[in-house]
């Protein structure tokens, strides 16, 4: 037992002390923060860029006074001839257009928007909505309906999606955020199973090609060496995740606190200045994420993530170790890693479609029970809410498979690490299991 | 006996690596394990190191059946050797010594002792990839003996060493042996076998074909061959005494004649000399003792031929 600790220690510290580990650990959260900030910045910027200056050429006469400027659009009533205006918008530096409202607008329900460049679709929609409002109001008046009455009878319905929890209580549900988290978890688990599994394989190949293997296994059992390596590298993974969670969490907390003030002010201004405009989904971006997170069980997700990542990692890294022992170089390993990682890749791809869209459907459920796919499939389902018994059963199957696979992998490993220069094939490897 | 190997059989999928091999390795001796490539030496060494297990047979280490606890009393330098390339030498030594059951402090002391002895203290913080192959071998040798094992198994220990360092390591091996360590020494280099070994065993095609004290073996295989130096021989024919010996070789250098003869059965060298004395002046008589190399080649060829005959029959 003491010896396996020594091996774990070496595997762990030789990796954690590496510069690349520190780099990865600190750069990845920074990358996510940068991404987060980047999205926020770009949405804000695109908002500004979309601002349009519009000259109204009102041939009908009723509309110009009723069109209201908003943060996106500034209207200017113009009496100049169309030709002059055309020249002007070409010279204008800002994004300007001419809105021609024809005399027969009530009959044709059509207007013309002439822009120097292609007209922005949000601007078009915004103008159309304003004009529709004005026309509707006029029509109502013609019919003798008081607009005040209309406002008072206008119904407004908010859909508050709730789902029943197991103990019969209702909780807020948010499919969008569950989807986001599900996909995020799929990517994270897929990448990390690969990343750390391949590290185990590389470690085994390194020991084999260095020829140190024989020295080591004259001191410890091959199984101890294999498990020591797997556990050591697994702990490197856990350390990295923990640091990521702490760093990203801390940075996001800081960032949202700073950004929120700005966002709230901006949102307030938008709403005050332009009541008719719908609230864009962009506003309150940072604030929204934290609020939405409350609709899923973050603790459950984090616990399940660690459990399924660990069990999945142990399962796959045992296979990777066996593959590493059977080959002399990494290039030779490809023929074995391909079929082994197929179930992972399949689940990964499916998680963006079938599993996300129908998280409790038969395919998703089956995939979350099959041990080779469950580490990804189950984690994708968990944000949508999965009965505890399913999680438990899936985890138990996964753990038993891991024990069985490790036992077989150890048998292959034991033989493989001592065989040099002989190209292994599946038939050969099957034989090793019987040695 | 420190180690007794009794009737060990090891089968691999396609061939039998060891076929009822029995060996006794006396305590405190240097034991040469010889054999051509693929004879089964490495398989036997791996079984002694408990890297693999025998399919049948028994191994007794120091009076008890070989068990995992004995690992700490055995030091093994494999033929295929290597170290972690990116790890510092000192750390690596510490790691290997701890795997052999030393505690950190003890390991540290002994590494210092050895590094000082071989004058390589400055290597402590170097990485293996920065060392030459010979330097790596030196480090590896230290790693093998650091935990002061009772049994040291060296598989081709001199390969990769320049003559100076090979000598240095040879002296260390002799010193360790004098301090009480039993050494199993597997090699193809016959001159070092004659120099170092007390006992040898010869393995060919999975079977032991010869073993014992090196002097006994040599005596057993000396085949009554002598080299005699004669002065001023005049008549060549006169020395062909067919009833006493066969003349194997005759060469004349200036006024000297060297003959190599193989005595016939039940003839002693004295009889031969008596008959030669009247014919020529005898300067020197040398008994030709076969070298281990000769015995090795002879025995391996012999056993291969007899195997072939069996195969053909």
């Amino acid at each position: 037992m003491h010896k396996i600790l020594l091996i774990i220690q070496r595997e762990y510290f030789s990796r954690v002390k590496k510069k690349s580990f520190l780099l990865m650990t600190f750069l990845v959260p920074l990358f996510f923060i940068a991404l987060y900030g980047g999205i926020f910045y770009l949405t804000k910027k695109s908002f500004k860029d979309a601002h349009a200056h519009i000259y109204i050429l009102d041939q009908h006469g009723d509309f110009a006074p009723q069109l209201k400027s908003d943060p996106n659009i500034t209207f200017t009533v113009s009496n100049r001839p169309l030709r002059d205006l055309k020249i002007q918008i070409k010279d204008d530096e800002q994004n300007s257009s001419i809105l021609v409202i024809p005399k027969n607008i009530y009959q044709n329900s059509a207007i013309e928007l002439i822009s120097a460049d292609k007209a922005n679709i949000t601007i078009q929609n915004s103008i159309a909505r304003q004009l529709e409002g004005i026309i509707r109001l006029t029509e109502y008046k013609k019919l003798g309906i008081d607009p005040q009455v209309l406002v008072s009878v206008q119904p407004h319905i908010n859909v508050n999606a709730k789902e029943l929890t197991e103990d019969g209580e209702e909780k807020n549900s948010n499919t969008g955020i569950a989807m986001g988290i599900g996909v995020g978890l799929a990517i994270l688990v897929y990448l990390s199973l690969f990343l750390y599994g391949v590290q185990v394989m590389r470690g085994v190949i390194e020991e084999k090609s260095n020829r140190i293997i024989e020295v080591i296994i004259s001191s410890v059992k091959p199984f101890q060496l294999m498990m020591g390596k797997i556990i050591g590298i697994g702990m490197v993974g856990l350390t990295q995740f923990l640091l990521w969670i702490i760093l990203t969490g801390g940075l996001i907390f800081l960032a949202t606190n700073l950004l929120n003030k700005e966002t709230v002010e901006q949102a307030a201004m938008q709403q005050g200045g332009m009541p008719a405009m719908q609230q864009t989904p962009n506003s309150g971006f940072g604030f929204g994420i934290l609020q939405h997170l409350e609709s899923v069980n973050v603790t459950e997700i984090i616990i399940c993530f660690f459990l399924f990542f660990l069990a999945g990692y142990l399962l796959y890294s045992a296979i990777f170790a066996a593959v590493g022992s059977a080959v002399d170089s990494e290039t030779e390993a490809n023929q074995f890693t391909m079929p082994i990682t197929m179930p992972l890749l399949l689940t990964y791809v499916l998680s963006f479609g079938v599993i996300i869209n129908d998280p409790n459907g038969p395919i998703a459920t089956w995939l979350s029970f099959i041990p080779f796919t469950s580490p990804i499939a189950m984690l994708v389902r968990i944000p949508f809410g999965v009965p505890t018994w399913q999680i438990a059963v899936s985890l138990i199957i996964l753990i038993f498979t891991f024990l069985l696979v490790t036992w077989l992998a150890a048998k292959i490993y034991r033989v493989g690490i001592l065989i040099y220069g002989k190209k292994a094939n599946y038939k050969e490897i099957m034989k090793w299991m019987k040695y | 006996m420190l180690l007794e190997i009794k009737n060990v059989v090891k089968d691999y999928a396609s061939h039998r690596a060891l076929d009822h091999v029995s060996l006794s390795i006396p305590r405190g001796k240097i034991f040469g394990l010889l054999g051509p490539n693929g004879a089964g030496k490495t398989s036997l060494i791996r079984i002694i190191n408990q890297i693999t297990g025998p399919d049948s047979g028994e191994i007794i280490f120091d009076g008890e059946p070989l068990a995992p606890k004995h690992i700490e009393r055995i030091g093994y330098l494999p033929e295929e050797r290597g170290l972690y390339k990116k790890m510092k030498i000192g750390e690596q030594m510490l790691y290997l010594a701890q795997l052999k059951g030393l505690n950190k402090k003890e390991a540290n002391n002994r590494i210092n002792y050895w590094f000082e002895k071989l004058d390589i203290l400055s290597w402590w913080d170097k990485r293996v990839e920065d060392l030459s192959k010979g330097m790596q071998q030196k480090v590896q040798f230290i790693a093998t003996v650091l935990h002061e094992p009772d049994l040291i198994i060296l598989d081709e220990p001199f390969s990769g060493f320049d003559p100076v360092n090979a000598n240095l390591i040879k002296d260390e091996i002799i010193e360790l042996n004098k301090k009480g360590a039993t050494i199993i020494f597997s090699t193809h280099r016959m001159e070092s076998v004659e120099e170092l070994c007390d006992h040898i065993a010869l393995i060919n095609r999975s079977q032991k074909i010869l073993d014992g004290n090196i002097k006994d073996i040599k005596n057993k295989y000396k085949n009554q061959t002598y080299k005699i130096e004669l002065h001023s021989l005049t008549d060549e024919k006169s020395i062909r005494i067919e009833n006493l010996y066969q003349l194997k070789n005759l060469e004349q250098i200036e006024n000297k004649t060297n003959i190599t003869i193989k005595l016939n059965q039940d003839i002693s060298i004295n009889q031969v000399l008596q008959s030669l004395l009247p014919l020529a002046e005898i300067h020197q008589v040398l008994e030709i003792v076969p070298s281990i190399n000769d015995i090795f080649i002879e025995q391996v060829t012999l056993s291969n031929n007899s195997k072939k005959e069996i195969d053909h029959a």
Side-chain angles (χ1 to χ4, degrees):
Chain A
M1 203 56 219
H2 170 65
K3 285 179 182 173
I4 201 168
L5 286 179
L6 280 170
I7 295 167
I8 294 171
Q9 228 174 43
R10 196 200 83 85
E11 297 292 339
Y12 181 78
F13 285 109
S14 71
R15 284 181 174 77
V16 170
K17 278 186 195 160
K18 263 192 201 160
K19 280 187 199 105
S20 58
F21 176 83
L22 285 176
L23 222 60
M24 274 280 272
T25 307
F26 290 101
L27 281 187
V28 168
L30 278 179
F31 173 77
F32 276 116
I33 296 300
L35 200 71
Y36 181 75
I39 291 171
F40 189 79
Y41 173 76
L42 285 177
T43 34
K44 257 178 75 177
K45 191 170 178 295
S46 71
F47 229 56
K48 257 183 218 155
D49 286 351
H51 184 93
H53 191 251
I54 292 176
Y55 298 98
I56 309 171
L57 212 64
D58 190 357
Q59 292 164 343
H60 185 272
D62 279 358
F63 288 86
Q66 290 190 65
L67 284 167
K68 290 194 179 92
S69 300
D70 66 30
N72 286 340
I73 307 170
T74 312
F75 289 110
T76 313
V77 183
S78 171
N79 297 317
R80 290 190 300 179
L82 186 59
R83 209 190 318 143
D84 288 4
L85 279 174
K86 276 182 183 167
I87 295 163
Q88 176 161 3
I89 61 166
K90 271 207 168 162
D91 295 340
D92 258 3
E93 275 191 21
Q94 24 173 327
N95 184 8
S96 41
S97 315
I98 311 161
L99 174 64
V100 185
I101 301 172
K103 273 189 181 138
N104 58 353
I105 179 168
Y106 281 97
Q107 287 83 47
N108 286 2
S109 298
I111 49 144
E112 270 181 3
L113 187 68
I114 302 158
S115 309
D117 298 316
K118 287 198 177 59
N120 184 315
I121 188 86
T122 25
I123 302 288
Q124 289 183 29
N125 286 342
S126 175
I127 293 171
R129 221 172 298 122
Q130 282 209 43
L131 289 174
E132 279 161 20
I134 296 165
I135 293 172
R136 199 180 295 126
L137 217 64
T138 326
E139 298 285 356
Y140 284 149
K141 271 184 190 157
K142 270 193 201 155
L143 293 169
I145 301 166
D146 185 356
Q148 288 300 322
V149 176
L150 263 177
V151 170
S152 67
V153 298
Q154 194 161 48
H156 183 76
I157 300 207
N158 262 327
V159 179
N160 276 325
K162 305 237 177 193
E163 60 180 88
L164 278 176
T165 56
E166 274 172 82
D167 26 317
E169 277 173 41
E170 290 168 15
K171 79 171 188 204
N172 285 329
S173 98
N174 188 321
T175 318
I177 205 78
M179 275 182 164
I181 292 175
V183 167
L185 287 176
I187 296 174
L188 199 58
V189 173
Y190 176 73
L191 288 182
S192 46
L193 282 184
F194 244 102
L195 191 70
Y196 296 109
V198 166
Q199 277 207 42
V200 170
M201 187 178 80
R202 275 207 196 122
V204 174
I205 295 176
E206 186 205 358
E207 276 168 357
K208 204 182 159 184
S209 60
N210 267 355
R211 304 288 199 251
I212 196 172
I213 191 78
E214 211 164 334
V215 176
I216 304 275
I217 58 169
S218 69
S219 307
V220 300
K221 290 218 172 68
F223 184 72
Q224 287 177 309
L225 180 60
M226 185 179 103
M227 280 323 283
K229 185 175 285 298
I230 289 175
I231 294 170
I233 293 176
M235 280 167 63
V236 175
L238 290 183
T239 310
Q240 197 147 49
F241 284 135
L242 271 178
L243 286 173
W244 280 347
I245 289 175
I246 293 168
L247 283 172
T248 318
L251 285 173
I252 284 189
F253 181 75
L254 269 177
T256 27
N257 267 2
L258 288 176
L259 290 173
N260 261 349
K261 280 180 197 154
E262 214 179 309
T263 323
V264 169
E265 279 163 20
Q266 198 190 26
M269 188 195 80
Q270 279 168 10
Q271 284 179 346
M274 179 61 211
M277 203 189 111
Q278 288 181 341
Q279 191 185 342
T280 60
N282 304 327
S283 62
F285 184 73
F287 191 61
I289 278 191
L290 286 191
Q291 212 172 31
H292 287 313
L293 274 179
E294 283 161 17
S295 70
V296 292
N297 191 338
V298 178
T299 332
E300 186 195 14
I301 289 175
I302 290 180
I303 290 173
C304 285
F305 171 76
F306 276 107
L307 286 177
F308 276 91
F309 164 71
L310 262 188
Y313 162 78
L314 288 172
L315 172 64
Y316 273 97
S317 58
I319 302 175
F320 272 114
V323 168
S325 76
V327 298
D328 285 335
S329 68
E330 254 177 82
T331 41
E332 218 184 298
N334 288 341
Q335 55 158 330
F336 296 109
T337 47
M338 264 298 282
I340 286 164
T341 49
M342 273 315 273
L344 271 186
L345 186 67
L346 182 81
T347 331
Y348 178 65
V349 173
L350 284 180
S351 56
F352 290 99
V354 183
I355 304 179
I356 285 271
N357 289 331
D358 191 7
N360 290 313
I363 296 177
T365 312
W366 275 109
L367 285 178
S368 63
F369 280 113
I370 299 169
F372 291 94
T373 57
S374 64
I376 292 180
M378 187 52 100
L379 280 177
V380 175
R381 288 182 62 207
I382 280 174
F384 295 93
V386 177
T388 315
W389 72 265
Q390 283 196 11
I391 298 179
V393 168
S394 165
L395 199 59
I396 288 168
I397 296 176
L398 185 57
I399 288 169
F400 271 104
T401 318
F402 141 67
L403 291 175
L404 179 75
V405 166
T406 307
W407 179 70
L408 284 174
K411 282 179 158 249
I412 296 172
Y413 178 83
R414 196 164 55 97
V415 181
I417 44 173
L418 290 173
I419 291 179
Y420 297 112
K422 199 166 145 189
K423 275 234 159 106
N425 52 39
Y426 288 103
K427 216 174 128 197
E428 190 81 17
I429 291 176
M430 292 307 256
K431 258 192 238 159
W432 295 352
M433 289 192 203
K434 290 176 209 138
Y435 274 3
Chain B
M1 293 292 147
L2 180 70
L3 186 73
E4 279 183 88
I5 293 153
K6 294 178 179 167
N7 260 320
V8 163
V9 176
K10 177 77 186 170
D11 282 316
Y12 287 115
S14 51
H15 73 290
R16 176 162 281 197
L18 293 170
D19 187 7
H20 298 280
V21 172
S22 297
L23 287 177
S24 293
I25 289 146
R27 192 186 300 272
K29 301 284 190 220
I30 301 184
F31 190 96
L33 189 61
L34 316 178
N37 292 326
K41 282 176 299 180
T42 305
S43 294
L44 183 62
I45 288 174
R46 282 180 179 167
I47 289 172
I48 300 171
N49 277 301
Q50 300 175 61
I51 290 171
T52 52
D55 293 321
S56 71
E58 213 187 345
I59 293 149
I60 308 291
F61 183 87
D62 204 7
E64 313 170 45
L66 191 68
K69 65 171 181 183
H70 293 131
I71 278 176
E72 290 168 11
R73 296 177 57 191
I74 301 177
Y76 174 37
L77 180 70
E79 185 180 6
E80 297 278 12
R81 62 199 73 151
L83 296 161
Y84 289 109
K85 290 208 164 57
K86 304 265 177 210
M87 215 173 165
K88 285 180 183 161
I89 304 286
E91 279 175 31
Q92 189 145 208
M93 292 280 105
L94 264 179
Y95 176 59
L96 292 174
Q98 282 177 287
L99 284 184
K100 280 287 188 189
L102 290 184
N103 66 43
K104 204 169 180 177
K105 198 169 159 253
E106 184 66 34
N108 226 325
N109 289 341
R110 293 201 194 168
I111 296 166
N112 267 315
Y113 163 79
W114 274 100
F115 276 27
E116 222 166 296
K117 189 170 184 188
L118 296 184
D119 200 22
I120 54 172
L121 264 177
S122 60
W123 294 3
W124 191 283
D125 279 329
K126 277 191 183 162
R127 283 171 212 281
V128 173
E129 53 189 357
D130 301 329
L131 297 185
S132 74
K133 196 159 182 243
M135 290 157 114
Q136 290 181 28
Q137 302 272 53
K138 238 180 186 174
V139 171
Q140 193 125 34
F141 178 78
I142 298 172
T144 310
V145 299
L146 210 53
H147 57 294
E148 293 179 359
D150 296 318
L151 177 64
I152 302 172
I153 302 172
L154 307 170
D155 199 347
E156 294 293 353
F158 301 118
S159 69
F161 275 118
D162 59 73
V164 177
N165 277 315
N167 242 346
L168 197 114
I169 294 301
K170 197 175 75 195
D171 291 344
E172 292 301 337
I173 293 173
I174 292 169
E175 199 184 320
L176 284 164
N177 178 244
K178 276 188 187 145
K179 281 183 184 162
T182 307
I183 291 161
I184 297 178
F185 181 38
S186 164
T187 186
H188 306 293
R189 295 204 351 183
M190 295 304 156
E191 70 278 9
S192 50
V193 172
E194 301 222 21
E195 211 178 332
L196 287 170
C197 297
D198 308 299
H199 282 68
I200 60 163
L202 182 54
I203 293 177
N204 186 43
R205 298 195 168 194
S206 331
Q207 284 174 327
K208 181 186 78 180
I209 54 176
L210 180 74
D211 76 329
N213 185 298
I214 205 161
K215 279 186 200 114
D216 297 345
I217 288 174
K218 282 189 152 193
N219 281 333
K220 191 176 157 198
Y221 285 95
K222 62 186 179 190
N223 44 7
Q224 297 280 76
T225 308
Y226 291 85
K227 191 175 168 187
I228 302 170
E229 193 185 307
L230 304 167
H231 188 62
S232 62
L233 181 77
T234 43
D235 185 6
E236 194 191 308
K237 272 184 189 163
S238 63
I239 61 158
R240 292 185 184 271
I241 312 170
E242 301 274 323
N243 60 335
L244 289 180
Y245 56 79
Q246 291 167 290
L247 187 64
K248 289 271 191 194
N249 190 28
L250 182 143
E251 51 178 6
Q252 283 183 309
I253 307 154
E254 292 171 19
N255 52 357
K256 272 190 270 179
T257 306
N258 288 335
I259 58 169
T260 310
I261 56 167
K262 186 173 190 273
L263 305 192
N264 290 344
Q265 260 191 339
D266 301 324
I267 304 291
S268 78
I269 186 71
N270 281 5
Q271 283 171 282
V272 174
L273 293 179
Q274 272 167 9
S275 3
L276 282 178
L277 272 173
L279 299 173
E281 194 178 326
I282 299 170
H283 270 205
Q284 209 179 14
V285 180
L286 253 175
E287 184 178 17
I288 294 183
V289 181
S291 68
I292 291 293
N293 197 33
D294 297 335
I295 299 173
F296 179 95
I297 292 169
E298 189 190 318
Q299 291 301 308
V300 168
T301 324
L302 212 71
S303 103
N304 285 352
N305 287 342
S306 67
K307 272 245 171 106
K308 260 180 217 154
E309 276 160 33
I310 293 166
D311 290 346
H312 283 290

